[in-house]
Amino acid sequence: MQFAKAFQYKKWANSELLDIGERQLHLLPESDAVFFIRILNHTTVVDSLFISRMSGTPELYSADNTLETPTYSELKERIEKNDSWLVHFSATAAPEILAKNIAFKFTDGDYGKLSVEETMIHLLTHGSNHRGMASRTLASNGLERPKDTFTRYLHEIEPAAAKTECNT
């Protein structure tokens, strides 16, 4: 699997959503604005928990979200930090690291075990799910949502591919 490209996409998609969200957050009803921030904060907290588990460092959180809702700038900083770590890790992790199993305790007390590769797939799908929820919050209020599909990302980073004619 091309994890490096997938995590570069995740970083790009998060940035797209955060930029659009920042421009429109003041247009959302307060409860939706709080939801938008908190669902993305949940995603980055989970990223952080699994980064700690993959890297063998102490976990920074004891729950899957913070008690306090972060400011928008704090949220962006947390997401950027975690996304940058994941992009670097995914580009440099050797196959034996990806195959390594990590045993851990979920924040709800249950126990789990995943390979690093499975963990990375989880982070990609988990992030995509919650970006979709945040985007839907914008759309349900008649606001612009990001055009953050993987194909759009690929065409942005490889513009020549977007111009290739198809022989159908």
Side-chain angles (χ1 to χ4, degrees):
M1 180 171 220
Q2 296 182 354
F3 279 120
K5 191 175 277 188
F7 279 99
Q8 289 164 356
Y9 162 70
K10 179 182 182 297
K11 183 177 182 179
W12 173 85
N14 280 337
S15 179
E16 291 280 306
L17 177 58
L18 288 166
D19 288 349
I20 284 177
E22 188 170 34
R23 290 194 307 269
Q24 303 180 102
L25 198 66
H26 70 283
L27 300 172
L28 289 173
E30 184 180 354
S31 62
D32 285 350
V34 169
F35 174 81
F36 184 90
I37 292 171
R38 290 198 59 77
I39 198 66
L40 295 175
N41 190 59
H42 160 72
T43 302
T44 202
V45 166
V46 169
D47 283 356
S48 177
L49 288 167
F50 280 103
I51 286 169
S52 294
R53 294 164 185 165
M54 290 188 293
S55 64
T57 58
E59 293 180 4
L60 302 176
Y61 302 100
S62 58
D64 67 1
N65 209 336
T66 57
L67 292 176
E68 299 290 323
T69 301
T71 65
Y72 211 82
S73 61
E74 289 169 333
L75 176 67
K76 285 176 72 169
E77 183 180 317
R78 289 176 190 170
I79 290 174
E80 168 63 30
K81 178 183 174 191
N82 288 337
D83 282 348
S84 293
W85 189 94
L86 289 163
V87 165
H88 175 74
F89 181 78
S90 65
T92 59
E96 58 272 11
I97 297 297
L98 296 176
K100 180 182 167 191
N101 283 318
I102 48 176
F104 54 89
K105 189 175 184 180
F106 286 104
T107 58
D108 66 2
D110 284 346
Y111 290 92
K113 184 169 93 169
L114 296 169
S115 71
V116 170
E117 184 175 44
E118 291 167 335
T119 300
M120 293 173 72
I121 292 168
H122 168 66
L123 294 179
L124 290 167
T125 59
H126 181 257
S128 179
N129 177 49
H130 290 311
R131 274 194 312 277
M133 293 171 77
S135 288
R136 184 71 192 134
T137 301
L138 296 173
S140 67
N141 284 281
L143 301 175
E144 179 186 6
R145 61 190 183 102
K147 297 174 181 147
D148 60 355
T149 64
F150 187 60
T151 52
R152 179 168 172 255
Y153 166 73
L154 291 176
H155 288 160
E156 273 196 26
I157 65 166
E158 300 169 9
K163 305 292 186 220
T164 304
E165 290 186 29
C166 295
N167 292 328
T168 55

